[in-house]
Amino acid sequence: DPTTTSSLEDTDLMRPFFTDDTLTTLRPVEELRSAWAAMSEQNRTTMLRDCEENPSIKYREFCGAVENM
């Protein structure tokens, strides 16, 4: 989506990590690892960069989880 400025705002990229459509409840860590592994290296790199650049509390739990993958 060319209008999305951050991968963290891309619902298609983020949906596999959450249990709900509102993207508020993270999946269990095993499922997070599987979703992370299924992504392209480029998407993983972009998400990690976006986590580093985005201090929003909205993404803190997600970013904390993927930074440890």
Side-chain angles (χ1 to χ4, degrees):
D1 182 359
T3 62
T4 301
T5 58
S6 168
S7 64
L8 302 176
E9 296 170 3
D10 185 330
T11 54
D12 289 334
L13 281 177
M14 296 294 282
R15 189 171 289 117
F17 297 98
F18 293 87
T19 62
D20 57 319
D21 288 338
T22 59
L23 306 180
T24 53
T25 305
L26 278 177
R27 293 187 179 278
V29 70
E30 300 82 19
E31 292 179 36
L32 291 176
R33 283 192 184 108
S34 294
W36 186 251
M39 292 179 71
S40 71
E41 183 67 32
Q42 179 180 356
N43 283 342
R44 289 194 298 262
T45 300
T46 300
M47 280 190 153
L48 288 173
R49 183 198 67 224
D50 290 345
C51 279
E52 289 175 9
E53 295 174 357
N54 191 323
S56 173
I57 194 167
K58 177 180 177 181
Y59 303 113
R60 188 171 296 155
E61 184 181 13
F62 170 78
C63 288
V66 298
E67 286 170 355
N68 294 316
M69 296 281 160

